[in-house]
């Protein structure tokens, strides 16, 4: 059979769906799945998993095009949500709790739209369904779009990123996307896709008219990602929504105020 261009793309997508995501697995009990943000990885959320794994099973996948997971040809929310759905089915996970930061939070909202009765609770960290600011991601795109200088250690890479005007906590996150290859650092990420398709990450997602899944929105006090209009849109969709602002925190709440973040998440999960 000769494949048309559109059929070929669909075949490639479903071939990808048959692959499993790389993931880290902690603890036992009710399953929590943590979805990292754009240009993040599972490594970055290990401290969170270790604070929750005495009560819960915590799974942190590397999302497609990140970390040790496979690469695809798109970053759109619907496609990434399909990969998470496949991951949940493949590992026979029933009614997981989904925690997502930034891009991962939007993926979680997309999952809720499609699986209203199959997700127990959702926590989104510093994001809503609205189009999001682009200043943070543009800074990171500028870095990965440039050839890396000769760097042999993560410490050297961290220092290099800081000299480019990146905050130390974000520089640490960027180093998680590096690997040592032939005694030199290179990117694990699908950097060509990230540079050409990052606009897909910034786009809003359309929610369904009604969702009964309990939702916690955690806002970084100093961040501009969560707006009153974004919260209003979520309130129009989710029957049970709670909003908590974390003090002394920007968009990367998990690095700015880790303890208050953990306390807030645990309190919501125990309700």
């Amino acid at each position: 059979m000769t494949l048309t261009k559109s059929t070929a793309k669909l075949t490639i997508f479903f071939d990808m769906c048959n692959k499993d995501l790389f993931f880290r697995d902690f603890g036992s009990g009710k399953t929590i799945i943590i979805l990292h943000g754009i240009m993040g990885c599972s490594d970055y959320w290990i401290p969170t998993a270790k604070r929750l794994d005495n009560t819960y099973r915590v799974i942190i996948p590397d999302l497609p095009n990140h970390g040790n997971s496979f690469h695809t040809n798109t970053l759109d929310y619907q496609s990434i949500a399909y990969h998470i759905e496949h991951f949940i089915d493949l590992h026979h996970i029933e009614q997981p709790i989904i925690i997502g930061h930034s891009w991962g939070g939007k993926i979680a909202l997309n999952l809720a739209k499609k699986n209203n009765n199959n997700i127990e609770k959702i926590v989104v960290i510093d994001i809503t369904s609205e189009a999001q600011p682009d200043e943070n991601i543009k800074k990171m795109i500028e870095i990965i779009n440039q050839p890396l200088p000769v760097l042999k250690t993560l410490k050297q890479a961290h220092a290099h990123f800081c000299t480019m005007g990146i905050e130390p906590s974000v520089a640490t996150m960027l180093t998680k996307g590096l690997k040592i290859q032939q005694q030199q650092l290179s990117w694990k990420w699908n950097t060509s896709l990230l540079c050409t398709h990052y606009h897909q990450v910034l786009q809003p997602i359309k929610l369904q008219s009604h969702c009964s899944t309990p939702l916690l929105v955690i806002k970084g006090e100093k961040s501009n990602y969560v707006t009153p209009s974004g919260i209003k849109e979520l309130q129009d969709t989710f029957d049970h929504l709670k909003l908590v602002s974390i003090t002394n925190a920007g968009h990367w709440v998990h690095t700015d105020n880790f303890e208050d973040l953990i306390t807030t998440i645990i309190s919501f999960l125990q309700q």
Side-chain angles (χ1 to χ4, degrees), residues 1-5 7:
M1 181 180 70
T2 302
L3 294 177
T4 65
K5 186 175 180 181
T7 306

Side-chain angles (χ1 to χ4, degrees), residues 12-20 70 79 82-83 86:
I12 290 169
F13 173 74
F14 282 112
D15 284 345
M16 288 296 182
C17 276
N18 289 327
K19 295 183 179 181
D20 195 7
F70 54 83
S79 298
Y82 274 128
H83 288 300
H86 174 70

Side-chain angles (χ1 to χ4, degrees), residues 224-247:
N224 63 348
Y225 276 65
V226 176
T227 65
S229 58
I231 292 299
K232 175 64 167 59
E233 186 172 316
L234 292 177
Q235 288 172 332
D236 290 342
T237 299
F238 288 86
D239 295 337
H240 310 285
L241 183 148
K242 182 177 182 181
L243 172 65
V244 176
S245 181
I246 303 293
T247 59

Side-chain angles (χ1 to χ4, degrees), residues 120-160:
E120 183 168 308
K121 290 184 177 182
I122 298 174
V123 178
V124 296
I125 303 171
D126 210 55
I127 204 69
T128 67
S129 56
E130 286 188 315
Q132 65 196 66
D134 64 358
E135 60 266 21
N136 286 321
I137 189 170
K138 276 190 171 180
K139 287 180 183 178
M140 293 189 287
I141 290 295
E142 287 173 6
I143 287 178
I144 68 171
N145 201 28
Q146 299 177 23
L148 275 173
V150 177
L151 301 169
K152 295 186 177 181
T153 68
L154 295 180
K155 185 176 180 180
Q156 288 178 349
H158 188 279
H160 169 68

Side-chain angles (χ1 to χ4, degrees), residues 30-38 41-42 44-53 56-63 84 87-88 93 95-112 119-127 213-218 253-254 258 261-270:
K30 184 70 182 176
T31 300
I32 295 172
I33 300 174
I34 300 179
L35 306 178
H36 62 75
I38 196 73
C41 65
S42 56
Y44 216 51
W45 290 89
I46 289 174
T48 302
K50 289 185 175 181
R51 289 290 293 272
L52 299 171
D53 68 1
Y56 302 93
R57 180 189 182 193
V58 184
I59 295 176
I60 325 170
D62 281 343
L63 295 177
I84 300 302
F87 179 84
I88 290 170
I93 302 169
Q95 291 195 302
I97 297 161
I98 308 291
I99 299 175
H101 172 248
S102 196
W103 182 53
K106 272 191 175 177
I107 295 167
L109 293 173
N110 202 294
L111 286 169
I119 298 174
E120 183 168 308
K121 290 184 177 182
I122 298 174
V123 178
V124 296
I125 303 171
D126 210 55
I127 204 69
T213 306
L215 171 66
L216 169 65
V217 180
I218 297 176
V253 182
H254 49 302
F258 179 71
L261 174 67
I262 294 297
T263 300
T264 301
I265 290 172
I266 291 174
S267 175
F268 175 70
L269 297 184
Q270 292 178 341

